[in-house]
PDB file of all heavy atoms in Angstrom:
ATOM      1  N   LYS A 327     -98.186  36.394   5.138  1.00  0.00           N
ATOM      2  CA  LYS A 327     -98.376  34.964   5.435  1.00  0.00           C
ATOM      3  C   LYS A 327     -97.309  34.435   6.387  1.00  0.00           C
ATOM      4  O   LYS A 327     -97.145  33.229   6.545  1.00  0.00           O
ATOM      5  CB  LYS A 327     -98.358  34.162   4.138  1.00  0.00           C
ATOM      6  CG  LYS A 327     -99.591  34.368   3.293  1.00  0.00           C
ATOM      7  CD  LYS A 327     -99.647  33.344   2.205  1.00  0.00           C
ATOM      8  CE  LYS A 327    -101.030  33.338   1.595  1.00  0.00           C
ATOM      9  NZ  LYS A 327    -101.007  32.801   0.240  1.00  0.00           N
ATOM     10  N   LEU A 328     -96.532  35.333   6.959  1.00  0.00           N
ATOM     11  CA  LEU A 328     -95.469  35.004   7.917  1.00  0.00           C
ATOM     12  C   LEU A 328     -94.313  34.234   7.276  1.00  0.00           C
ATOM     13  O   LEU A 328     -93.553  33.541   7.947  1.00  0.00           O
ATOM     14  CB  LEU A 328     -96.053  34.239   9.125  1.00  0.00           C
ATOM     15  CG  LEU A 328     -97.135  35.030   9.885  1.00  0.00           C
ATOM     16  CD1 LEU A 328     -98.012  34.119  10.713  1.00  0.00           C
ATOM     17  CD2 LEU A 328     -96.504  36.098  10.759  1.00  0.00           C
ATOM     18  N   GLN A 329     -94.211  34.399   5.953  1.00  0.00           N
ATOM     19  CA  GLN A 329     -93.166  33.757   5.170  1.00  0.00           C
ATOM     20  C   GLN A 329     -91.933  34.673   5.132  1.00  0.00           C
ATOM     21  O   GLN A 329     -92.083  35.885   4.938  1.00  0.00           O
ATOM     22  CB  GLN A 329     -93.686  33.672   3.736  1.00  0.00           C
ATOM     23  CG  GLN A 329     -93.544  32.384   3.063  1.00  0.00           C
ATOM     24  CD  GLN A 329     -94.419  32.368   1.790  1.00  0.00           C
ATOM     25  OE1 GLN A 329     -95.116  33.338   1.461  1.00  0.00           O
ATOM     26  NE2 GLN A 329     -94.359  31.272   1.086  1.00  0.00           N
ATOM     27  N   THR A 330     -90.742  34.085   5.301  1.00  0.00           N
ATOM     28  CA  THR A 330     -89.514  34.886   5.211  1.00  0.00           C
ATOM     29  C   THR A 330     -89.151  35.056   3.728  1.00  0.00           C
ATOM     30  O   THR A 330     -89.896  34.602   2.849  1.00  0.00           O
ATOM     31  CB  THR A 330     -88.346  34.173   5.933  1.00  0.00           C
ATOM     32  OG1 THR A 330     -88.036  32.982   5.191  1.00  0.00           O
ATOM     33  CG2 THR A 330     -88.681  33.809   7.361  1.00  0.00           C
ATOM     34  N   ALA A 331     -87.964  35.618   3.481  1.00  0.00           N
ATOM     35  CA  ALA A 331     -87.507  35.791   2.093  1.00  0.00           C
ATOM     36  C   ALA A 331     -87.295  34.438   1.410  1.00  0.00           C
ATOM     37  O   ALA A 331     -87.205  34.365   0.184  1.00  0.00           O
ATOM     38  CB  ALA A 331     -86.224  36.611   2.087  1.00  0.00           C
ATOM     39  N   VAL A 332     -87.175  33.373   2.197  1.00  0.00           N
ATOM     40  CA  VAL A 332     -87.050  32.016   1.630  1.00  0.00           C
ATOM     41  C   VAL A 332     -88.430  31.361   1.768  1.00  0.00           C
ATOM     42  O   VAL A 332     -88.925  31.184   2.883  1.00  0.00           O
ATOM     43  CB  VAL A 332     -85.977  31.200   2.407  1.00  0.00           C
ATOM     44  CG1 VAL A 332     -85.865  29.787   1.866  1.00  0.00           C
ATOM     45  CG2 VAL A 332     -84.637  31.921   2.346  1.00  0.00           C
ATOM     46  N   ASN A 333     -89.056  31.006   0.627  1.00  0.00           N
ATOM     47  CA  ASN A 333     -90.506  30.783   0.673  1.00  0.00           C
ATOM     48  C   ASN A 333     -91.016  29.570   1.457  1.00  0.00           C
ATOM     49  O   ASN A 333     -92.181  29.509   1.798  1.00  0.00           O
ATOM     50  CB  ASN A 333     -91.120  30.822  -0.737  1.00  0.00           C
ATOM     51  CG  ASN A 333     -90.605  29.667  -1.575  1.00  0.00           C
ATOM     52  OD1 ASN A 333     -89.865  28.813  -1.076  1.00  0.00           O
ATOM     53  ND2 ASN A 333     -90.973  29.632  -2.844  1.00  0.00           N
ATOM     54  N   ASN A 334     -90.149  28.613   1.801  1.00  0.00           N
ATOM     55  CA  ASN A 334     -90.640  27.490   2.625  1.00  0.00           C
ATOM     56  C   ASN A 334     -90.222  27.655   4.095  1.00  0.00           C
ATOM     57  O   ASN A 334     -90.389  26.754   4.898  1.00  0.00           O
ATOM     58  CB  ASN A 334     -90.113  26.141   2.096  1.00  0.00           C
ATOM     59  CG  ASN A 334     -88.617  25.999   2.335  1.00  0.00           C
ATOM     60  OD1 ASN A 334     -87.881  26.961   2.137  1.00  0.00           O
ATOM     61  ND2 ASN A 334     -88.180  24.841   2.779  1.00  0.00           N
ATOM     62  N   ILE A 335     -89.658  28.831   4.406  1.00  0.00           N
ATOM     63  CA  ILE A 335     -89.264  29.082   5.808  1.00  0.00           C
ATOM     64  C   ILE A 335     -90.092  30.251   6.364  1.00  0.00           C
ATOM     65  O   ILE A 335     -90.148  31.329   5.765  1.00  0.00           O
ATOM     66  CB  ILE A 335     -87.751  29.370   5.937  1.00  0.00           C
ATOM     67  CG1 ILE A 335     -86.946  28.186   5.347  1.00  0.00           C
ATOM     68  CG2 ILE A 335     -87.373  29.608   7.394  1.00  0.00           C
ATOM     69  CD1 ILE A 335     -85.445  28.293   5.513  1.00  0.00           C
ATOM     70  N   TYR A 336     -90.743  30.001   7.473  1.00  0.00           N
ATOM     71  CA  TYR A 336     -91.653  30.973   8.093  1.00  0.00           C
ATOM     72  C   TYR A 336     -91.047  31.429   9.427  1.00  0.00           C
ATOM     73  O   TYR A 336     -90.151  30.773   9.953  1.00  0.00           O
ATOM     74  CB  TYR A 336     -93.014  30.322   8.336  1.00  0.00           C
ATOM     75  CG  TYR A 336     -93.736  29.944   7.065  1.00  0.00           C
ATOM     76  CD1 TYR A 336     -93.309  28.864   6.288  1.00  0.00           C
ATOM     77  CD2 TYR A 336     -94.835  30.669   6.621  1.00  0.00           C
ATOM     78  CE1 TYR A 336     -93.966  28.523   5.109  1.00  0.00           C
ATOM     79  CE2 TYR A 336     -95.499  30.337   5.447  1.00  0.00           C
ATOM     80  CZ  TYR A 336     -95.059  29.257   4.694  1.00  0.00           C
ATOM     81  OH  TYR A 336     -95.708  28.932   3.534  1.00  0.00           O
ATOM     82  N   ALA A 337     -91.540  32.538   9.954  1.00  0.00           N
ATOM     83  CA  ALA A 337     -91.073  32.964  11.287  1.00  0.00           C
ATOM     84  C   ALA A 337     -92.252  33.542  12.061  1.00  0.00           C
ATOM     85  O   ALA A 337     -93.156  34.171  11.476  1.00  0.00           O
ATOM     86  CB  ALA A 337     -89.956  33.985  11.158  1.00  0.00           C
ATOM     87  N   ILE A 338     -92.248  33.301  13.367  1.00  0.00           N
ATOM     88  CA  ILE A 338     -93.379  33.710  14.220  1.00  0.00           C
ATOM     89  C   ILE A 338     -92.883  34.171  15.596  1.00  0.00           C
ATOM     90  O   ILE A 338     -91.762  33.882  15.980  1.00  0.00           O
ATOM     91  CB  ILE A 338     -94.366  32.528  14.443  1.00  0.00           C
ATOM     92  CG1 ILE A 338     -93.634  31.314  15.062  1.00  0.00           C
ATOM     93  CG2 ILE A 338     -95.053  32.115  13.153  1.00  0.00           C
ATOM     94  CD1 ILE A 338     -94.565  30.183  15.501  1.00  0.00           C
ATOM     95  N   GLY A 339     -93.749  34.875  16.303  1.00  0.00           N
ATOM     96  CA  GLY A 339     -93.491  35.204  17.712  1.00  0.00           C
ATOM     97  C   GLY A 339     -92.571  36.386  17.909  1.00  0.00           C
ATOM     98  O   GLY A 339     -92.504  37.302  17.087  1.00  0.00           O
ATOM     99  N   ASP A 340     -91.827  36.365  19.006  1.00  0.00           N
ATOM    100  CA  ASP A 340     -90.969  37.495  19.387  1.00  0.00           C
ATOM    101  C   ASP A 340     -89.876  37.788  18.368  1.00  0.00           C
ATOM    102  O   ASP A 340     -89.297  38.874  18.377  1.00  0.00           O
ATOM    103  CB  ASP A 340     -90.275  37.196  20.732  1.00  0.00           C
ATOM    104  CG  ASP A 340     -91.190  37.435  21.927  1.00  0.00           C
ATOM    105  OD1 ASP A 340     -92.396  37.657  21.720  1.00  0.00           O
ATOM    106  OD2 ASP A 340     -90.692  37.389  23.066  1.00  0.00           O
ATOM    107  N   VAL A 341     -89.556  36.802  17.518  1.00  0.00           N
ATOM    108  CA  VAL A 341     -88.449  36.993  16.581  1.00  0.00           C
ATOM    109  C   VAL A 341     -88.873  37.831  15.364  1.00  0.00           C
ATOM    110  O   VAL A 341     -88.034  38.236  14.569  1.00  0.00           O
ATOM    111  CB  VAL A 341     -87.874  35.603  16.194  1.00  0.00           C
ATOM    112  CG1 VAL A 341     -88.697  34.918  15.111  1.00  0.00           C
ATOM    113  CG2 VAL A 341     -86.420  35.687  15.793  1.00  0.00           C
ATOM    114  N   ILE A 342     -90.176  38.116  15.241  1.00  0.00           N
ATOM    115  CA  ILE A 342     -90.645  39.002  14.159  1.00  0.00           C
ATOM    116  C   ILE A 342     -91.283  40.254  14.763  1.00  0.00           C
ATOM    117  O   ILE A 342     -91.335  40.405  15.986  1.00  0.00           O
ATOM    118  CB  ILE A 342     -91.631  38.290  13.195  1.00  0.00           C
ATOM    119  CG1 ILE A 342     -92.937  37.900  13.912  1.00  0.00           C
ATOM    120  CG2 ILE A 342     -90.989  37.071  12.564  1.00  0.00           C
ATOM    121  CD1 ILE A 342     -94.053  37.482  12.971  1.00  0.00           C
ATOM    122  N   LYS A 343     -91.797  41.138  13.911  1.00  0.00           N
ATOM    123  CA  LYS A 343     -92.379  42.398  14.403  1.00  0.00           C
ATOM    124  C   LYS A 343     -93.672  42.139  15.204  1.00  0.00           C
ATOM    125  O   LYS A 343     -94.234  41.048  15.136  1.00  0.00           O
ATOM    126  CB  LYS A 343     -92.632  43.357  13.250  1.00  0.00           C
ATOM    127  CG  LYS A 343     -93.666  42.865  12.258  1.00  0.00           C
ATOM    128  CD  LYS A 343     -93.870  43.923  11.193  1.00  0.00           C
ATOM    129  CE  LYS A 343     -95.010  43.614  10.280  1.00  0.00           C
ATOM    130  NZ  LYS A 343     -94.876  42.607   9.291  1.00  0.00           N
ATOM    131  N   GLY A 344     -94.120  43.178  15.887  1.00  0.00           N
ATOM    132  CA  GLY A 344     -95.371  43.074  16.639  1.00  0.00           C
ATOM    133  C   GLY A 344     -95.104  42.961  18.124  1.00  0.00           C
ATOM    134  O   GLY A 344     -93.955  42.834  18.543  1.00  0.00           O
ATOM    135  N   PRO A 345     -96.194  43.016  18.918  1.00  0.00           N
ATOM    136  CA  PRO A 345     -95.992  42.979  20.373  1.00  0.00           C
ATOM    137  C   PRO A 345     -95.355  41.671  20.825  1.00  0.00           C
ATOM    138  O   PRO A 345     -95.706  40.602  20.319  1.00  0.00           O
ATOM    139  CB  PRO A 345     -97.414  43.118  20.940  1.00  0.00           C
ATOM    140  CG  PRO A 345     -98.332  42.776  19.831  1.00  0.00           C
ATOM    141  CD  PRO A 345     -97.617  43.088  18.553  1.00  0.00           C
ATOM    142  N   MET A 346     -94.403  41.756  21.744  1.00  0.00           N
ATOM    143  CA  MET A 346     -93.740  40.539  22.254  1.00  0.00           C
ATOM    144  C   MET A 346     -94.619  39.950  23.339  1.00  0.00           C
ATOM    145  O   MET A 346     -94.415  40.178  24.535  1.00  0.00           O
ATOM    146  CB  MET A 346     -92.352  40.885  22.771  1.00  0.00           C
ATOM    147  CG  MET A 346     -91.370  41.148  21.659  1.00  0.00           C
ATOM    148  SD  MET A 346     -89.705  41.297  22.313  1.00  0.00           S
ATOM    149  CE  MET A 346     -88.736  41.290  20.823  1.00  0.00           C
ATOM    150  N   LEU A 347     -95.623  39.200  22.912  1.00  0.00           N
ATOM    151  CA  LEU A 347     -96.575  38.595  23.844  1.00  0.00           C
ATOM    152  C   LEU A 347     -96.796  37.140  23.470  1.00  0.00           C
ATOM    153  O   LEU A 347     -96.834  36.792  22.281  1.00  0.00           O
ATOM    154  CB  LEU A 347     -97.916  39.338  23.781  1.00  0.00           C
ATOM    155  CG  LEU A 347     -97.913  40.765  24.314  1.00  0.00           C
ATOM    156  CD1 LEU A 347     -99.219  41.475  23.983  1.00  0.00           C
ATOM    157  CD2 LEU A 347     -97.667  40.786  25.826  1.00  0.00           C
ATOM    158  N   ALA A 348     -96.985  36.311  24.488  1.00  0.00           N
ATOM    159  CA  ALA A 348     -97.117  34.874  24.257  1.00  0.00           C
ATOM    160  C   ALA A 348     -98.324  34.545  23.378  1.00  0.00           C
ATOM    161  O   ALA A 348     -98.237  33.720  22.468  1.00  0.00           O
ATOM    162  CB  ALA A 348     -97.238  34.159  25.594  1.00  0.00           C
ATOM    163  N   HIS A 349     -99.460  35.210  23.642  1.00  0.00           N
ATOM    164  CA  HIS A 349    -100.674  34.857  22.888  1.00  0.00           C
ATOM    165  C   HIS A 349    -100.592  35.327  21.435  1.00  0.00           C
ATOM    166  O   HIS A 349    -101.194  34.730  20.558  1.00  0.00           O
ATOM    167  CB  HIS A 349    -101.944  35.389  23.579  1.00  0.00           C
ATOM    168  CG  HIS A 349    -101.804  36.779  24.120  1.00  0.00           C
ATOM    169  ND1 HIS A 349    -101.173  37.052  25.298  1.00  0.00           N
ATOM    170  CD2 HIS A 349    -102.206  37.968  23.628  1.00  0.00           C
ATOM    171  CE1 HIS A 349    -101.211  38.355  25.525  1.00  0.00           C
ATOM    172  NE2 HIS A 349    -101.821  38.931  24.513  1.00  0.00           N
ATOM    173  N   LYS A 350     -99.816  36.390  21.193  1.00  0.00           N
ATOM    174  CA  LYS A 350     -99.596  36.821  19.795  1.00  0.00           C
ATOM    175  C   LYS A 350     -98.765  35.748  19.078  1.00  0.00           C
ATOM    176  O   LYS A 350     -99.062  35.349  17.947  1.00  0.00           O
ATOM    177  CB  LYS A 350     -98.915  38.189  19.794  1.00  0.00           C
ATOM    178  CG  LYS A 350     -98.511  38.742  18.431  1.00  0.00           C
ATOM    179  CD  LYS A 350     -97.040  38.527  18.183  1.00  0.00           C
ATOM    180  CE  LYS A 350     -96.522  39.302  16.988  1.00  0.00           C
ATOM    181  NZ  LYS A 350     -95.149  38.858  16.637  1.00  0.00           N
ATOM    182  N   ALA A 351     -97.732  35.244  19.762  1.00  0.00           N
ATOM    183  CA  ALA A 351     -96.892  34.183  19.183  1.00  0.00           C
ATOM    184  C   ALA A 351     -97.735  32.938  18.888  1.00  0.00           C
ATOM    185  O   ALA A 351     -97.596  32.313  17.835  1.00  0.00           O
ATOM    186  CB  ALA A 351     -95.752  33.846  20.148  1.00  0.00           C
ATOM    187  N   GLU A 352     -98.620  32.591  19.827  1.00  0.00           N
ATOM    188  CA  GLU A 352     -99.473  31.402  19.644  1.00  0.00           C
ATOM    189  C   GLU A 352    -100.378  31.549  18.416  1.00  0.00           C
ATOM    190  O   GLU A 352    -100.520  30.625  17.618  1.00  0.00           O
ATOM    191  CB  GLU A 352    -100.378  31.196  20.867  1.00  0.00           C
ATOM    192  CG  GLU A 352     -99.634  30.739  22.090  1.00  0.00           C
ATOM    193  CD  GLU A 352    -100.565  30.442  23.258  1.00  0.00           C
ATOM    194  OE1 GLU A 352    -101.720  30.035  23.026  1.00  0.00           O
ATOM    195  OE2 GLU A 352    -100.139  30.633  24.407  1.00  0.00           O
ATOM    196  N   GLU A 353    -100.993  32.723  18.288  1.00  0.00           N
ATOM    197  CA  GLU A 353    -101.892  32.949  17.145  1.00  0.00           C
ATOM    198  C   GLU A 353    -101.131  32.799  15.833  1.00  0.00           C
ATOM    199  O   GLU A 353    -101.636  32.231  14.863  1.00  0.00           O
ATOM    200  CB  GLU A 353    -102.518  34.353  17.210  1.00  0.00           C
ATOM    201  CG  GLU A 353    -103.519  34.558  18.330  1.00  0.00           C
ATOM    202  CD  GLU A 353    -104.661  33.563  18.307  1.00  0.00           C
ATOM    203  OE1 GLU A 353    -105.237  33.320  17.233  1.00  0.00           O
ATOM    204  OE2 GLU A 353    -104.978  33.011  19.369  1.00  0.00           O
ATOM    205  N   GLU A 354     -99.899  33.325  15.827  1.00  0.00           N
ATOM    206  CA  GLU A 354     -99.095  33.210  14.601  1.00  0.00           C
ATOM    207  C   GLU A 354     -98.722  31.752  14.329  1.00  0.00           C
ATOM    208  O   GLU A 354     -98.706  31.313  13.182  1.00  0.00           O
ATOM    209  CB  GLU A 354     -97.841  34.084  14.725  1.00  0.00           C
ATOM    210  CG  GLU A 354     -98.186  35.569  14.656  1.00  0.00           C
ATOM    211  CD  GLU A 354     -97.021  36.505  14.919  1.00  0.00           C
ATOM    212  OE1 GLU A 354     -96.018  36.077  15.516  1.00  0.00           O
ATOM    213  OE2 GLU A 354     -97.119  37.690  14.563  1.00  0.00           O
TER     214      GLU A 354
END
Side-chain angles (χ1 to χ4, degrees):
K327 288 192 166 157
L328 301 160
Q329 228 166 0
T330 67
V332 178
N333 65 4
N334 70 318
I335 303 185
Y336 295 72
I338 57 172
D340 280 9
V341 81
I342 65 167
K343 64 178 188 286
M346 286 189 170
L347 292 170
H349 42 281
K350 175 260 192 191
E352 289 184 30
E353 291 304 314
E354 289 174 340

